[in-house]
Amino acid sequence: MAGTGVRVRLLGPVEVVVADGAQAVNGVRRKAVLATLALHVGRVVSVDRLIDVVWGEQLPATAANTLQRHVSYLRGVLGEPGSIVARQPGYLLNTGPESTDVQAAERLLELARRSSDHNEQVAHLTAAVALWRGPPLADVAGSAWLEEQAEHLARLRLEAERALAEARLSVGEHARLVPGLERLVRQHPLDEHLHAQLMLALYRDGRQGEAVATYRRLRDTLRENLGIDPSPRLRDLECAILRQDTAIAAPAPAAAAPPPVAAQLPPPVPTFTGRDAELAALDALVDRGGAVVVSGTAGVGKTALAVHWAHRAAERFPDGQLYVNLRGFDPAATPTDPARALHGFLEALGVPVARMPSDRDLMVSLYRTTVAGKRLLVVLDNARDAEQVRPLLPGSPDCLAIVTSRDQLLPLVVTESAQPVPLDLLSPGEARDMLARRLGASQIAAEPGAADDIADRCARLPIALAIVAARAATNRHFSLAAVAGELGDLGAFHGGDEATDVRAVFSWSCRTLSPPAVRLFRLLSLHPGPDVSVPAVASLAGITPQASGPLLTELTRANLLTEHTYGRYAFHDLLRAYAASLADEAEAPAERGAAVHRLLDHCLHTAHAADLALHPHFSDISLPPPRAGVTPERPRNKLAATAWFTAEVPVLLAAVPLAARAGFEGHAWRLAWTMAGFLHRQGHWQDWLGTQRIALAAASRIGDQTGQGHAHRSLGLACSRLRRYDEADDHLRRAFDLFADVGDDAGRAHTCLNLGQLAERQGQHHQALDHSRRALTLFRRAGNEAGQGYTLNAVGWQEGLLGNYHRALESCGEALRKLQEVDDVQGQADTWDSLGHAHHQLGDDRRAIACYEHALDLFTQVNDRYAEASTYVNLGGSHRALADFGATRVAWRRALSILDELGDADADAIRADLAQLDASRLH
């Protein structure tokens, strides 16, 4: 099994690294099995021993079978069935020589012990110490034996760090050694060896007083904690420091002049602005070492941020700053070969050309040996992928590498523990500041609205803002409003060459994509909403959701999309415009039309399913079957349906006019119908009105009387909610006539019920009762039990408004029974509210309160915000009748909060009632 390329890492959290990156090992006991085998790599570990280590005294009856399953799982993680061999009396990890980081560390320590060359010792020991990623076996606590091994490996690390400090002292690196030794002394406050090394490093750096103070702090600590004095060896070292003994002087420097300090950073952008959060994140990582990945979409300012911060932090890296443009996304050049970059780094670090090997692996080794013990900043700009970056990462923990890329470089985050710093578009304030830095604050102050318009049209993308600002700066006689007016398409964002042409810059990202991902990027421009879900993406492209996942990941990693909320993807306006231009060029009109058709089918069929989940007895429209390639979602319950509508309403509001414009009039009115109930319950009445107007126009264009009837009815309901009663009456009567023309008794019944509600809102209670009774007759003729339940509740409510409270209780009681039989939660909630009103009017407020509380529980389930507020008002009235003014105030304040959230005019009346209640309590 030698040469499998598998590495089991134990010097930190337990993990497996294979050729294509890290593989997660799930489960503490599985990690314990792997760790035990890896600590005996190449040797058989008995089943009994494994069980004892993994379970200890908590031994389950099924331990042997469970162990077999764990081993089978681990073989899958390791990637080869033969990676773990069953051999009596147990199992053997067979991943080849030096397949664990523990083996690698032990080999490097042995090489350092055998070498007489102090520089070689530094290189080997630096590489060994770098293998520790934190406390060893950090995530398998609970096993006594593994905890013993973790302690042993921690001691091994301390041994390596001591040896490394000794070797670095021998080569005269005392000054650079001090910060690391100070950290180690804090971690091991009683360790005399480390204190001796720190004392010597401080003394050789000309800090005799600090060296003596270090000794005395240790002496005081030993006396206080252990009641002992430092060893004779340490006391002798203190005396030697006090008398400045030449025997402990620093080794003589090499005759050769020191190499120049590398300073390869390009100049910073003079007008850089903003990015405070990202700069703070980089500041926090400056002492951590390792790598940082700054990723973001094309033109978002990754290089500007990295170079700006690098100049700001340069003093923290006294051994130099290396920089290379890796040209990962460069139209005029191929990506930089890592070997070429290494050659440049080694030259900058003073390595003679004659010493440079031709083999890349040897160059990597020489590079890491050269930077060992140094405090360097390495900027790897415009990287294409992780493989291009890995050879250029310094191995020293005191070095920091800043990598910029359009790709998220997840493999570096996974296997090298690189810290991601994602870069988004500028905030509105940052975009305005950038324009002010380039054009002058006075010009921005003179036309603030135009400046904000430019920022919006540039999508707050730094490269676009820079191009437009350059045009404004070179044409000072243009007003900013005139400049903003030119920004109609991507052609306006051209700065004179490919590097400053937004369209070209975006194209470099697309060149790295697979053909299916490029096609999906183009088609996403056809989606009308602000973001898109995975199932909708699949339907748009005519592929399965499983196939769409990797393509979305590819686009996200390339920063052509952002997953701004889990499972929902978006891109900014300029990327959308670029994708749309690609779609116009590459997709035939028939294919674009088919994609829009699939998307609208997805929206319509999923919205209809969600509406059915919320109102199973009232979704009475027929749908044409979806096209091939469409995979509608099926919300499994009311909660899921409500969540789907909440997430998708912005998309649906955009899909209705898209359908009407694109010649899908049937989709337009049906989509508007499916979302009407949700918009109603959420109080989005202006949106409800707007979509239904589009629906009515669409249905009228194709002469669809059923669609016109539904649109008129919904318009009547929306106008009624907005107190436009004459318009509401006209729409509802037109709806009734249209339903009569097509023989739709259910449509007529619903409309009669709505006419009754409209009459009630205007105080016409007798007319309202007549309409409701007529609706009841029609529902009975249609055999619609839920409709009968709703209408009986309406009859009871209107009887109550006319003072016939006992009749109201009879009708509402019958309504409740019917609605419970068909499990209609919305109708039951309405009816409990009506029953509460009747009991309140009869003076039985305790019963009324119980009814209102039933109604509130149910309204919360269906998320009917307006009805919930109305019931809170009624509940407060019953509490007031019982002189429970505290409960009254609570109920009315909840009602007021909801109505204010909905922007409803009834809020003012509740506010006045609360003020009157508070005033009455003061007297």
Side-chain angles (χ1 to χ4, degrees), residues 294 758 832:
V294 178
L758 176 62
W832 278 115

Side-chain angles (χ1 to χ4, degrees), residues 216-232:
R216 291 176 181 170
R217 277 196 302 273
L218 175 63
R219 181 193 63 195
D220 294 344
T221 301
L222 289 172
R223 287 176 176 175
E224 181 179 339
N225 289 278
L226 302 176
I228 62 174
D229 281 328
S231 66

Side-chain angles (χ1 to χ4, degrees), residues 18 84 209 239 297 356 367 373 425 438 607 729 769 772 826 844:
V18 294
I84 300 178
C239 293
T297 192
M356 291 188 196
Y367 165 57
L425 302 172
R438 287 175 175 265
D729 185 74
L769 185 57
S772 296
Q826 176 80 45
D844 190 351

